[in-house]
Amino acid sequence: MTTLLTILVLILVAIAIWQMTKIFELSQIKAENSQVASDKDNKYNGYLMFAFLIFIYGITIFSFWKYTKVLLPEAASEHGQSYDSLMLWSFVIIFFVQTVTQALLHYFSYKYKGEKGKKALFYADNDRLEFIWTIIPVFVLAGLILWGLYTWTNIMDVNDEDDPLIVELYAQQFNWTARYGGADNVLGGANVRMIDIDRANVLGLDESDPYSNDDVIVKELHLPVGRKVNFRFRSQDVLHSAYMPHFRAQMNCVPGMITEFSFTPTITTEEMRLNPDVIDKVKRTNAIRAERAASGEPNSDPWEFDYILLCNKICGKSHYNMQMKIIVESEEEYNAWMESQQTFSQLMASMN
Ligand SMILES: [Cu+2]
């Protein structure tokens, strides 16, 4: 707050000085009081163009150097690779075009700065030039769009091939619940109208549906590595968005409808913890946490990397904390974990 006020005062002082010099200037009766820019003014502005060019290049290089490390580590899902290369190539093209066009723009502003006696050339159009600068973007953009559509269609193709694991992700303000289909891998029918909190039927499962009996409801998402997962999303209250950044996956959770997304995890949690980018990030985070611990601040326990499911729609005041841990493990570990879970019918029986 103090910083903000100081900055505000400084800005106001600067404006006051600027206004005062203006008044002072106006009060002077000058021999030459022209509003027309002189050669000197134009030259000065031409150099400023170069200064601005250096500034934008400088800030770009600085951002790359300083912030690249906050990007996500390598994709942990099968489709993530193609998603990432599409993103990378889009950025490469954008950065190349931006670097070249900005240089040209500022150079020509300098080169054709106003000079006394210099007359602009009347040059209406040039068909060949127009053709070139139309056809290049047409091909580049068409290529990117087609590649994007192809990638999108592949990623969004949710089908039952390769025996996918069926998992429901249920969103509500402000937490996630996961439900597995159980031994038969089929989810029982469910509806928010059938929610019975007193009897722990928190997801509104249809108790008369035989498919519901072996469903498993959990608060931590376990996935076997290398097996395709078909997610079905539901929301109890408002619009949420299931965001699993490490798997390059996101899908809206919409009240009253079921949305779907499918991916195959390729890297286990243990393997990801050995990724150099992840090790670096854990180190940096824990350095900050150690500092906090030293000054007795909360949230200072050492952090260990885990995959995470986040909500990516601002759904209310605790939205920021709406998350669930995801554990990708070997099939044996997954089976052992699943074995130790209670089924829906066991849960219901224990409530009666
Ligand atoms: Cu949410």
Side-chain angles (χ1 to χ4, degrees), residues 76-338:
S77 62
E78 231 163 57
H79 75 270
Q81 316 289 340
S82 48
Y83 179 101
D84 281 356
S85 41
L86 178 64
M87 179 93 154
L88 176 73
W89 278 103
S90 304
F91 272 139
V92 167
I93 291 168
I94 290 166
F95 271 107
F96 174 74
V97 174
Q98 120 95 18
T99 306
V100 173
T101 50
Q102 290 301 324
L104 290 175
L105 189 69
H106 289 81
Y107 169 70
F108 282 118
S109 307
Y110 168 77
K111 188 173 183 210
Y112 296 109
K113 63 187 177 294
E115 264 169 45
K116 240 188 196 106
K118 202 179 198 176
K119 219 173 158 191
L121 171 72
F122 181 76
Y123 193 73
D125 56 58
N126 181 319
D127 288 346
R128 180 179 288 182
L129 263 181
E130 299 259 1
F131 179 76
I132 291 169
W133 70 50
T134 305
I135 207 76
I136 293 176
V138 163
F139 275 109
V140 173
L141 288 175
L144 274 183
I145 289 166
L146 286 174
W147 186 16
L149 280 176
Y150 174 77
T151 310
W152 169 261
T153 321
N154 274 342
I155 291 173
M156 295 312 292
D157 177 25
V158 181
N159 58 52
D160 287 335
E161 285 163 28
D162 307 322
D163 183 31
L165 184 69
I166 310 293
V167 179
E168 174 182 82
L169 285 178
Y170 184 83
Q172 70 189 105
Q173 288 168 322
F174 297 96
N175 64 74
W176 295 98
T177 309
R179 176 163 67 116
Y180 293 79
D184 57 10
N185 199 26
V186 178
L187 293 166
N191 193 298
V192 281
R193 289 192 179 83
M194 289 185 272
I195 289 174
D196 188 346
I197 299 284
D198 298 335
R199 296 180 54 246
N201 188 359
V202 288
L203 301 187
L205 264 65
D206 182 356
E207 291 173 50
S208 64
D209 183 351
Y211 286 124
S212 298
N213 292 330
D214 64 349
D215 284 7
V216 172
I217 297 167
V218 291
K219 281 297 196 184
E220 194 176 83
L221 186 62
H222 284 242
L223 301 173
V225 68
R227 178 154 179 206
K228 187 163 112 173
V229 192
N230 280 6
F231 288 101
R232 298 161 64 80
F233 304 92
R234 281 200 298 148
S235 166
Q236 177 173 308
D237 33 45
V238 298
L239 204 64
H240 298 274
S241 193
Y243 179 41
M244 294 173 262
H246 303 99
F247 306 99
R248 312 295 190 259
Q250 178 167 320
M251 181 49 68
N252 280 353
C253 308
V254 187
M257 71 183 283
I258 292 171
T259 47
E260 292 184 298
F261 196 92
S262 171
F263 71 76
T264 309
T266 51
I267 303 172
T268 63
T269 300
E270 287 303 325
E271 286 165 351
M272 200 49 143
R273 283 178 182 161
L274 300 176
N275 177 296
D277 293 335
V278 172
I279 290 174
D280 188 47
K281 184 170 184 158
V282 169
K283 218 161 88 188
R284 276 183 285 124
T285 308
N286 283 338
I288 298 169
R289 291 194 169 208
E291 254 173 52
R292 292 175 67 95
S295 55
E297 286 177 73
N299 299 327
S300 53
D301 298 335
W303 173 65
E304 188 173 40
F305 171 84
D306 265 306
Y307 291 124
I308 198 164
L309 161 69
L310 297 164
C311 177
N312 214 6
K313 283 276 179 297
I314 299 177
C315 57
K317 65 177 177 181
S318 290
H319 152 78
Y320 73 98
N321 206 22
M322 184 169 162
Q323 50 179 272
M324 184 160 75
K325 190 170 158 180
I326 305 175
I327 293 164
V328 180
E329 56 200 358
S330 70
E331 196 164 347
E332 297 79 52
E333 287 168 312
Y334 167 78
N335 289 337
W337 170 80
M338 186 49 89

